[in-house]
């Protein structure tokens, strides 16, 4: 069987990570951490996650004409990702994220988007002209919203399925949501999108029902160590998460989305795809860094949580 085709339209960042005991409060300095430079960006992370699992991935993105941009493109090629639609912008720097990780693996992230915010709606057209039924388009919100909306429209017109990871959270109108086959907010994003405070499975269900009523065809609310809630029509299924020792939660959501796109486009039901994606996300938190933490298909099949 040919590998599933996944088109990721999204961001590319270089992550500068400091791992310390705790994340400083505003105005505070905390010393004693260690520094790691890692490849990141929600779009790039999701593209790498899907490629390592075995998908044929096309990345549609924009980087600066600088060292970080050139290194990113080289790395995508080494991962087997199609890079002809990764554009270069001489007027902007490649995106950079400053990430603080604490001893429990929790993080705080500040992003300078640079070239990511120069990815215009017309930039995605050549790549998405290749779409057909059976393909999956994976979107996030680290690029301009009009570009996300245009990509979703083109994908749904071509009969491809659209997964939208609404991260970082931003208001979404029904002109976008009606083209979304699966919306994948975490608790924070689901709370911001609906005004319903999501803190458990019951409140996640209430938020998912609101997002379905707003136009999304299905919704998966990811709940960290509590797994995820998969809602379609009037049915919601809770998918538990295996217990792992968390080193760094950065890119756990990206691993989940890459895994979901891979498994869904390989023919699994949405609930089974979410269960697979949960294992991919769980593995990603056991290693430091965004792309360095993303597992291969072999890692996932060997994963035997306690
Ligand atoms: O989702 C994790 C990613 O968010 C990091 O890699 C960082 O680049 C930010 O975009």
């Amino acid at each position: 069987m040919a590998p599933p085709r996944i088109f990721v339209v999204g961001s590319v960042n270089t992550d500068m990570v400091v791992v310390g005991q705790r994340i400083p409060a505003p105005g505070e300095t905390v010393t004693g951490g260690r520094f790691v430079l890692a490849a990141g960006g929600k779009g790039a992370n999701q593209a790498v996650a899907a490629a390592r699992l075995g998908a044929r991935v096309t990345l549609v993105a924009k980087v600066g004409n600088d060292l970080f941009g050139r290194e990113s493109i080289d790395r995508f090629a080494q991962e087997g990702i199609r890079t002809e639609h990764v554009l270069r912008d001489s007027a902007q720097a490649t995106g950079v994220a400053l990430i603080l990780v604490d001893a429990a693996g929790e993080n705080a992230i500040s992003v300078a988007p640079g070239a990511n915010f120069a990815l215009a709606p017309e930039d995605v057209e050549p790549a998405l002209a290749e779409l057909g039924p059976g393909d999956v388009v994976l979107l996030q919100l680290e690029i301009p919203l009009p570009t996300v909306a245009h990509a979703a429209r083109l994908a749904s017109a071509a009969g491809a399925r659209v997964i939208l990871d609404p991260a970082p959270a931003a208001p979404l109108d029904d002109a976008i949501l009606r083209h979304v086959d699966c919306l994948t907010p975490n608790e924070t994003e689901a709370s911001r999108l609906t005004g319903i405070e999501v803190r458990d499975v019951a409140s996640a269900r209430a938020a998912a029902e609101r997002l379905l009523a707003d136009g999304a065809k299905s919704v998966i609310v990811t709940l960290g160590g509590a797994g995820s809630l998969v809602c379609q029509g009037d049915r919601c299924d809770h998918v538990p998460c295996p217990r792992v020792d968390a080193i760094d939660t950065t890119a756990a959501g990206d691993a989940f989305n890459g895994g979901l796109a891979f498994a869904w486009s390989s023919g699994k039901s949405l609930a089974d795809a979410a269960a697979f994606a949960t294992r991919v996300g769980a593995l990603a938190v056991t290693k430091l860094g965004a792309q360095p933490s993303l597992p291969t298909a072999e890692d996932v099949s060997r994963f035997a949580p306690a």
Side-chain angles (χ1 to χ4, degrees):
M1 198 171 103
R5 296 201 322 163
I6 297 174
F7 290 68
V8 182
V9 182
S11 57
V12 176
N13 291 334
T14 299
D15 292 351
M16 304 201 180
V17 187
V18 173
V19 189
Q21 270 309 304
R22 62 188 176 83
I23 294 169
E28 187 188 20
T29 302
V30 175
T31 55
R34 71 189 168 101
F35 172 71
V36 180
L37 190 69
K42 295 183 193 303
N45 296 345
Q46 295 183 15
V48 170
R52 285 190 188 160
L53 294 168
R56 180 81 178 119
V57 177
T58 301
L59 177 60
V60 187
K62 199 169 258 187
V63 297
N65 198 2
D66 51 22
L67 179 65
F68 287 163
R70 284 189 290 277
E71 284 184 351
S72 301
I73 292 174
D74 287 350
R75 250 190 326 267
F76 300 142
Q78 284 161 20
E79 297 281 353
I81 293 170
R82 289 179 62 209
T83 59
E84 59 262 48
H85 299 290
V86 180
L87 308 176
R88 291 176 198 217
D89 187 325
S90 300
Q92 303 285 339
T94 299
V96 167
L98 299 182
I99 304 184
L100 301 171
V101 178
D102 71 13
E106 290 301 332
N107 64 50
I109 305 180
S110 184
V111 178
N116 293 308
F117 271 18
L119 187 70
E122 59 272 20
D123 290 335
V124 308
E125 289 173 0
L128 300 193
E130 299 175 14
L131 284 174
D135 294 336
V136 166
V137 175
L138 193 44
L139 303 166
Q140 324 74 32
L141 300 180
E142 275 190 333
I143 56 171
L145 202 53
T147 305
V148 174
H150 192 53
R153 260 193 312 273
L154 293 176
S156 97
R161 276 180 293 182
V162 174
I163 299 175
L164 172 57
D165 171 16
L172 296 174
D173 58 28
D174 51 5
I176 294 185
L177 283 176
R178 69 165 173 263
H179 297 300
V180 173
D181 295 282
C182 185
L183 186 74
T184 59
N186 65 16
E187 299 109 308
T188 310
E189 291 144 9
S191 303
R192 295 231 178 109
L193 288 171
T194 62
I196 296 168
E197 194 196 335
V198 176
R199 51 186 188 289
D200 53 21
V201 171
S203 51
R205 181 173 189 144
E209 284 169 351
R210 173 79 56 83
L211 293 165
L212 290 172
D214 287 346
K217 294 183 192 73
S218 64
V219 176
I220 301 178
V221 182
T222 59
L223 301 164
S228 63
L229 191 71
V230 182
C231 297
Q232 254 178 325
D234 52 12
R235 183 187 169 126
C236 284
D237 295 299
H238 179 232
V239 176
C241 181
R243 266 194 66 77
V244 289
D245 289 329
I247 301 292
D248 176 13
T249 56
T250 308
D254 300 329
F256 180 93
N257 278 279
L260 180 75
F262 172 76
W264 205 23
S265 58
S266 302
K268 285 192 193 296
S269 70
L270 190 62
D272 287 348
F276 176 84
T278 301
R279 292 163 58 83
V280 180
L283 272 169
V285 309
T286 64
K287 288 194 186 145
L288 179 63
Q291 285 165 42
S293 73
L294 299 170
T296 62
E298 202 188 337
D299 294 330
V300 180
S301 62
R302 269 204 256 113
F303 180 38

